[in-house]
Amino acid sequence: MSHTSPVFDVVIIGAGAAGLFCAGQAGQRGLKVLLIDHAEKVAEKIRISGGGRCNFTNRDLDPAAPHKHFVGQNPQFCRSALSRYTPADFIALVQKHGIAFHEKHKGQLFADRSAEDIIAMLLAECAVGQVTHWQPCAVKNIKFLAPGAYPSSATSYQIDTDRGPVQARSLVIATGGLSIPKIGATDFGYRLAQQFNIPLVERRPGLVPLTFDGTGWAPYAQLAGLALPVQISTGAKKTRMAFDEDLLFTHRGLSGPAVLQISSYWQEGTPLAINLAPTVDLPAALAQGKARSRKLIANELATLVPSRLADAWAQREADWQRPINEASDKALARLAEQLARWELTPTGTEGYKKAEVTLGGVDTKALSQQTMECKTQPGLYFIGEVVDVTGWLGGYNFQWAWASAAACAQALAVTPS
């Protein structure tokens, strides 16, 4: 091949959160960077995240204990990157660009105006780094060129694209996961990993609504649209995981932050336990009701949980469809127990079309936690969601994108050319 094709220090494939941030950081360290994406618009996932406001990080993230907020075969893998590029670092960048933001709850930070402000900031950082953008531009083929095939003696990659071939000393894959195909998600990163014999951890939808079989769900389908605070848990003993968040009933099952969070820990075939009134002492409240009221159980229950839920719940047993003062203590105890521990087993999830992230991905054992470079394939890096690191809902996945991108950019800048 002639050396007339453009030569870059680094080619980054994928212009989402991780790719854009890495490009800007690498460019500002003096590297010649090309950023390629097959979609017309960059950062669609940022654009739609947080209801269009972008939950760009989380103040509560503890870099010393990533297992608290991250899932994967080895959550400790992300400790190095997260401790070197922290939420405070990204917040400082947001402030430097004059973007107003607010904390919603539990450390979650959102742009006041629009996610577009975060995208504009990342593009401005790329402009400062003189990053070259090619998009829309598909990558057709990638070849690893052994030392000596490059203008210098270093190893390099030849990338064949819609806009012709390019060469680069280093190649960064920031192509994300399989979530939300309608905004351009593909399995490109996983296919490339396989091409270079990089092991993968099995992928499945994460932060995703859960579904139930039609007949089993029929009594609750009428509750679609109802939201309420719950405690939700799954697993037993050491594997038990619980969240205090809002639950949302849908026509096909359950969603809302509580369910999205637990979905990353839920294993197929295992039940969920949901406390539908976590702040109420139900046995005491129902006993008091029995002593002073002649209302129907459903009406009394409606003072403790949303009335639609109270009505649906009372329909479940004949013993609960009478005035509370006529109910047996046993029936009321059973009602309290079932509301506090509603056990149900999902039949599945809403899949990648509704999942916010992809669990699994490039096996962290194959990567350096300091640099994100493949241990067996020089000059090849994986960052962001394509890696087997998945954060909780609430800004954790974006912080992983920024931190893994920063670790990678830092490493690229010190790689000998």
Side-chain angles (χ1 to χ4, degrees):
M1 176 187 159
S2 74
H3 291 309
T4 52
S5 61
V7 175
F8 289 86
D9 293 316
V10 56
V11 168
I12 299 173
I13 302 176
L20 276 169
F21 193 58
C22 187
Q25 294 277 308
Q28 289 178 38
R29 286 180 156 90
L31 297 175
K32 190 179 176 193
V33 180
L34 171 63
L35 178 61
I36 300 177
D37 198 286
H38 69 117
E40 278 184 40
K41 283 175 141 181
V42 297
E44 276 294 310
K45 219 164 182 187
I46 295 179
R47 193 169 277 111
I48 63 169
S49 74
R53 293 267 175 90
C54 184
N55 179 191
F56 56 82
T57 191
N58 194 301
R59 268 196 225 274
D60 292 350
L61 189 151
D62 179 0
H67 61 280
K68 284 184 188 167
H69 298 117
F70 290 89
V71 191
Q73 287 201 333
N74 177 21
Q76 296 299 336
F77 172 84
C78 49
R79 180 189 286 188
S80 172
L82 290 170
S83 58
R84 286 180 292 145
Y85 193 89
T86 65
D89 292 318
F90 195 76
I91 291 165
L93 184 66
V94 168
Q95 288 171 326
K96 182 180 125 188
H97 283 260
I99 299 170
F101 61 91
H102 59 280
E103 181 174 331
K104 217 169 181 179
H105 70 143
K106 299 190 175 181
Q108 301 171 12
L109 302 186
F110 292 77
D112 280 1
R113 201 186 69 85
S114 164
E116 296 287 353
D117 292 344
I118 301 294
I119 298 171
M121 174 187 87
L122 295 170
L123 289 170
E125 289 288 310
C126 284
V128 174
Q130 297 181 328
V131 172
T132 304
H133 297 258
W134 284 4
Q135 66 180 102
C137 176
V139 173
K140 299 172 189 169
N141 186 34
I142 292 174
K143 263 205 298 248
F144 176 62
L145 306 174
Y150 188 63
S152 76
S153 62
T155 54
S156 72
Y157 291 84
Q158 181 187 321
I159 300 106
D160 292 325
T161 79
D162 280 355
R163 304 195 188 187
V166 286
Q167 283 193 357
R169 185 183 74 218
S170 304
L171 178 63
V172 177
I173 306 302
T175 47
L178 301 168
S179 316
I180 325 182
K182 71 168 189 273
I183 60 166
T186 73
D187 64 350
F188 179 92
Y190 310 131
R191 290 201 314 265
L192 190 83
Q194 286 168 322
Q195 180 187 329
F196 289 106
N197 295 317
I198 312 298
L200 294 171
V201 173
E202 191 185 346
R203 275 82 62 217
R204 63 187 177 95
L207 300 182
V208 65
L210 298 173
T211 54
F212 299 83
D213 72 74
T215 44
W217 191 247
Y220 310 107
Q222 61 185 354
L223 294 173
L226 176 69
L228 73 160
V230 301
Q231 183 181 74
I232 191 166
S233 64
T234 191
K237 298 193 175 136
K238 274 193 174 168
T239 64
R240 183 178 182 270
M241 198 66 207
F243 290 95
D244 293 293
E245 287 280 5
D246 283 358
L247 176 79
L248 174 69
F249 284 83
T250 71
H251 290 289
R252 291 156 48 92
L254 296 171
S255 187
V259 169
L260 299 186
Q261 293 284 39
I262 210 76
S263 71
S264 294
Y265 294 88
W266 173 71
Q267 299 294 327
E268 213 166 313
T270 58
L272 301 173
I274 303 174
N275 184 342
L276 291 161
T279 59
V280 180
D281 180 345
L282 285 167
L286 291 173
Q288 284 165 9
K290 179 176 176 173
R292 62 171 167 70
S293 169
R294 294 179 181 181
K295 285 183 187 165
L296 286 172
I297 289 175
N299 294 351
E300 201 54 51
L301 195 54
T303 64
L304 308 172
V305 298
S307 57
R308 283 169 67 196
L309 179 65
D311 289 341
W313 215 262
Q315 292 302 314
R316 293 175 50 169
E317 281 198 28
D319 284 353
W320 300 340
Q321 292 164 35
R322 56 182 63 181
I324 193 165
N325 60 325
E326 293 174 20
S328 71
D329 290 346
K330 219 181 219 172
L332 292 179
R334 205 164 56 244
L335 174 61
E337 189 193 357
Q338 288 192 22
L339 276 165
R341 194 174 171 79
W342 183 27
E343 278 223 351
L344 64 172
T345 302
T347 46
T349 76
E350 289 278 8
Y352 288 116
K353 67 180 189 294
K354 293 277 181 75
E356 296 200 7
V357 291
T358 304
L359 293 156
V362 173
D363 193 332
T364 55
K365 285 195 200 84
L367 305 177
S368 154
Q369 60 178 323
Q370 274 74 40
T371 66
M372 309 305 294
E373 185 176 15
C374 294
K375 293 173 180 172
T376 56
Q377 182 60 41
L380 179 63
Y381 299 75
F382 288 87
I383 59 174
E385 193 188 339
V386 73
V387 180
D388 175 31
V389 170
T390 303
W392 284 11
L393 191 71
Y396 294 98
N397 287 295
F398 277 129
Q399 187 58 37
W400 166 243
W402 318 134
S404 58
C408 177
Q410 198 177 344
L412 289 167
V414 297
T415 308
S417 53

